[in-house]
Amino acid sequence: MNYTGLYIAVDFDGTCVTHEYPYLGQDVGAAPVLRELVEQGHHIILYTMRSGKLEKEAIKWFKDNNIPLFAVNTNPTQKKWTKSPKVHADVYIDDGALGCPLIRSMHTSRPYVDWVKVREWLVEEGFL
């Protein structure tokens, strides 16, 4: 493991909260795992399509949940070695990512990230 911590890009809608865009969705269990990652020295990058006021609401969600963000929609460290607009991360947690564990619920129209399984994977890989 990188002793300076991993860069972890985290989507918001369908990942930290249920899909209710442009509204703020319901909590799906991301906060405790994200806090644990930060406590282990990893860097959380909010990687979202939200912009303007809606992006600020997502950032506030992180602040309200005591999860410090390293950056939003960028990784400032990559500017030293690339001009690519793609956010560099070691891990991407996104409900749209192939293979990301999802929960399908009759209470929501779209699936969302299963943070119990994500945490299990993070532990298995030695990130937690």
Side-chain angles (χ1 to χ4, degrees):
M1 182 171 77
N2 182 347
Y3 292 106
T4 62
L6 299 174
Y7 296 105
I8 302 174
V10 179
D11 180 38
F12 189 67
D13 295 287
T15 301
C16 296
V17 297
T18 56
H19 282 282
E20 295 182 38
Y21 181 89
Y23 306 104
L24 202 60
Q26 300 298 310
D27 182 86
V28 298
V33 178
L34 294 172
R35 278 194 299 272
E36 192 174 1
L37 285 165
V38 171
E39 289 167 5
Q40 293 295 318
H42 303 298
H43 312 285
I44 305 300
I45 299 170
L46 174 58
Y47 193 37
T48 181
M49 290 291 296
R50 287 177 173 249
S51 62
K53 179 183 174 210
L54 300 178
E55 179 183 83
K56 288 178 183 168
E57 289 174 355
I59 293 168
K60 184 179 183 310
W61 181 90
F62 280 84
K63 184 176 181 181
D64 290 348
N65 282 283
N66 298 314
I67 304 163
L69 289 171
F70 178 71
V72 177
N73 287 333
T74 187
N75 181 336
T77 66
Q78 76 188 56
K79 293 177 181 172
K80 299 174 198 167
W81 51 272
T82 184
K83 293 182 191 228
S84 173
K86 180 179 178 183
V87 173
H88 165 72
D90 300 298
V91 175
Y92 298 83
I93 303 174
D94 189 324
D95 63 298
L98 182 65
C100 188
L102 300 175
I103 293 174
R104 297 183 193 286
S105 168
M106 64 182 167
H107 303 291
T108 60
S109 61
R110 293 175 62 184
Y112 52 87
V113 170
D114 182 338
W115 281 92
V116 170
K117 290 183 180 175
V118 167
R119 187 180 184 287
E120 288 171 2
W121 181 86
L122 292 164
V123 168
E124 287 172 14
E125 294 300 316
F127 302 138
L128 287 179

